[in-house]
Amino acid sequence: MASTVAGERGKEQQPPAPAARLPRPQLTLTVLLCATFMQFLDVSIVNVAVPSIQRDLHAGSGTVELVASGYTLAYACVLITAGRLGDRYGYRRLFVTGMAVFTLASLACVVAPDSATLVLARVVQGLGSGLMAPQVLSVIQVEFPPSSRGKVFGSYGTAIGTATVVGPVLAGLLIALRLPGLDWRLVFAINIPVGLAAMAAFRLIPPSVRQVRERLDPVGVALVVAGLALLIYPLAVGRQQGWPAWSWGSLGAAVVVLALFARTQFRRERRGLDPLLHLRLLGDRTVRLGLLVVLAFFAGVPPFFFLLSVYLQAGFGHSALVAGLTQLPFAVATAVGSRAAGSLARRYGTVVLVCATGALAVAMAALALIVEFAGARATPWELAAPMLVGGTAFGVFTASAFTVLLAQVPASAAGSASGMLTTVQQVAGSLGLTIGAVVFFASQPLVVHQAGPAALRHTAATSFFHTLLYETAVFALACVGTVVLHRRPRDGSPVSAPASPSEG
């Protein structure tokens, strides 16, 4: 997203000493945006490949959900820590390390012999992606002058929005090639040449190390990683296993561990030490509303693409190519919306977010009506018009959301607030994918041996209709949050994170 933030650095902390002016800034930006594109492409490209993976590896629905959510979960778990590691050891070093992990994990996905290996490789892939992402944002903040930074962040948001919706189309094309022994494995293989090229161009990334090196909070790192893992894993596999006792125990443990994490962060702040997250910012209503908007919006995005692919392939028997091309109007409209987002955000501010989230809610409601009334007779092309509206709104939001939201936060708190927003974005994707799948499969599981294709199509239509009601609800909630954010004045006293001892 057009977000900004590698962990917890911001104006309230001393920035890295700027390097000499970049000799080839456009080439540097190209490397950064290619890495970003691949990171977010790997979130969405799996969606169309899921039915093929399920057939080839004989995986259950909960397992293939982990193939998708395991990546974003691992990404979210290391995002803040990776930002601090980049501050301490250098952005280039962490970027290359993350890219190497990402590329090797992609190779492991290609050769995975079973679903368990594939899930593990996807988790490692997410870890590599999480190591890279903060370094991209840090380099942009440190190496590009303020006069061009807004345009650069707009390009960053456009890369994310485009990757999110191009993924399904590209996956459909790759699977349609039907290369012997590859099939769905091609969707991971394309990462390898891009990763090798990015590592070869590592000298275009400035090394940039902070002059003041803060201590990493190992207790906080362990608690936040453990807490998020305990939260997401049972949500992803619990439904398939009938919600056994261990899944509820894990959810309860997640609440305890995350509460301990919050306590340690508050305690470090009181002692003047650097926490991973400045949780005192939650006292600011603007930050709380921004978190609500991001949580609701990104709880709706991944399940829509994932379950649309399942609906078209498992329910209607369409090929991966048709499933991918069905999402082409959304992809084209996203590119158009992203391109217009910058000027719209500068001119209208939070009104842009109100309109974007509202338009997405309307688009999802329109899709629900088409699926409900057309039922098993619905064709992919009947979905095109609302997909165009939804894609435009999605492009506008992703290219402008974090810039607009952070503009509402006191400048001294921008770094910490953006760290929270970015982490919530990733966790929301995993939670949304899990909840959306529960809603989709609640009607009855889609299995190929059901009583005839007509019954299968009817089940698919009913399940996807329920999913679209969920999508309408979460985007409507995001819209309510943006309306309140637009109408509510900022708290009178500015919120800022306490200075670290090194700054004092």
Side-chain angles (χ1 to χ4, degrees):
M1 355 216 6
S3 66
T4 39
V5 241
E8 293 295 295
R9 73 189 81 36
K11 295 184 179 179
E12 73 270 26
Q13 296 180 345
Q14 182 176 347
R21 184 177 295 275
L22 290 174
R24 289 168 289 182
Q26 289 306 315
L27 289 178
T28 299
L29 183 60
T30 299
V31 173
L32 296 176
L33 294 183
C34 282
T36 300
F37 185 87
M38 291 308 299
Q39 288 173 283
F40 284 85
L41 184 74
D42 263 59
V43 176
S44 62
I45 199 170
V46 175
N47 296 339
V48 168
V50 160
S52 298
I53 293 172
Q54 198 165 6
R55 287 192 302 269
D56 187 33
L57 300 183
H58 307 289
S61 58
T63 302
V64 292
E65 287 164 30
L66 276 176
V67 172
S69 63
Y71 177 90
T72 54
L73 168 62
Y75 181 103
C77 286
V78 301
L79 186 64
I80 296 171
T81 304
R84 287 297 178 84
L85 290 173
D87 285 342
R88 188 171 181 82
Y89 298 109
Y91 304 145
R92 178 199 289 171
R93 183 177 299 174
L94 265 292
F95 178 87
V96 174
T97 301
M99 182 60 80
V101 172
F102 179 83
T103 304
L104 288 173
S106 297
L107 177 60
C109 290
V110 173
V111 300
D114 51 50
S115 58
T117 303
L118 181 59
V119 170
L120 178 60
R122 283 285 287 171
V123 169
V124 176
Q125 203 181 31
L127 293 175
S129 184
L131 288 176
M132 276 191 289
Q135 319 320 322
V136 172
L137 294 164
S138 296
V139 170
I140 291 175
Q141 288 178 310
V142 172
E143 301 296 338
F144 288 85
S147 59
S148 65
R149 205 172 294 157
K151 184 177 180 180
V152 171
F153 276 128
S155 300
Y156 176 77
T158 299
I160 291 174
T162 304
T164 300
V165 292
V166 163
V169 179
L170 180 58
L173 292 171
L174 291 173
I175 293 173
L177 293 176
R178 300 185 183 279
L179 295 183
L182 289 177
D183 194 34
W184 58 267
R185 298 176 190 272
L186 272 181
V187 305
F188 300 111
I190 62 170
N191 294 336
I192 298 172
V194 176
L196 292 175
M199 287 188 285
F202 77 97
R203 291 192 180 278
L204 291 170
I205 308 296
S208 305
V209 181
R210 284 175 61 102
Q211 291 178 319
V212 177
R213 295 189 177 186
E214 303 165 357
R215 287 185 177 182
L216 198 64
D217 174 15
V219 175
V221 170
L223 288 174
V224 73
V225 171
L228 290 173
L230 288 167
L231 176 66
I232 300 297
Y233 182 74
L235 289 175
V237 303
R239 179 193 55 79
Q240 183 190 21
Q241 298 184 11
W243 298 106
W246 69 261
S247 63
W248 296 106
S250 179
L251 292 172
V255 174
V256 173
V257 173
L258 291 175
L260 287 174
F261 169 71
R263 183 180 179 184
T264 62
Q265 300 308 290
F266 282 123
R267 182 175 294 177
R268 288 182 69 87
E269 282 187 295
R270 286 197 301 269
R271 292 178 178 177
L273 301 174
D274 289 303
L276 283 176
L277 283 177
H278 292 292
L279 296 178
R280 285 174 54 184
L281 289 175
L282 294 175
D284 180 61
R285 288 179 294 182
T286 300
V287 174
R288 293 199 303 271
L289 286 169
L291 291 174
L292 171 64
V293 170
V294 169
L295 178 65
F297 187 90
F298 287 98
V301 174
F304 173 70
F305 294 111
F306 176 77
L307 296 170
L308 175 61
S309 297
V310 175
Y311 161 70
L312 291 171
Q313 293 183 77
F316 283 77
H318 291 302
S319 66
L321 179 60
V322 171
L325 291 177
T326 300
Q327 299 175 50
L328 186 60
F330 203 104
V332 172
T334 293
V336 174
S338 297
R339 191 172 183 83
S343 58
L344 291 174
R346 285 191 298 271
R347 185 170 182 179
Y348 299 109
T350 52
V351 174
V352 170
L353 302 186
V354 175
C355 295
T357 50
L360 260 169
V362 170
M364 294 299 135
L367 286 171
L369 290 174
I370 292 172
V371 171
E372 172 68 6
F373 288 104
R377 301 184 307 278
T379 64
W381 313 117
E382 290 179 272
L383 310 179
M387 294 279 276
L388 285 170
V389 174
T392 304
F394 177 76
V396 170
F397 188 94
T398 54
S400 61
F402 276 54
T403 303
V404 171
L405 290 173
L406 291 174
Q408 305 299 308
V409 176
S412 59
S416 294
S418 56
M420 289 183 186
L421 289 168
T422 309
T423 303
V424 167
Q425 170 209 342
Q426 297 303 323
V427 175
S430 293
L431 284 171
L433 190 60
T434 300
I435 298 170
V438 169
V439 172
F440 183 88
F441 291 108
S443 300
Q444 52 181 302
L446 291 178
V447 289
V448 294
H449 57 271
Q450 265 186 299
L456 189 60
R457 288 195 297 270
H458 177 74
T459 299
T462 302
S463 298
F464 195 56
F465 172 71
H466 293 157
T467 301
L468 290 169
L469 293 182
Y470 162 77
E471 296 287 336
T472 303
V474 292
F475 288 127
L477 179 60
C479 183
V480 170
T482 57
V483 169
V484 176
L485 182 65
H486 174 67
R487 298 182 62 182
R488 187 183 296 274
R490 194 165 63 194
D491 290 355
S493 57
V495 176
S496 61
S500 67
S502 60
E503 300 169 73

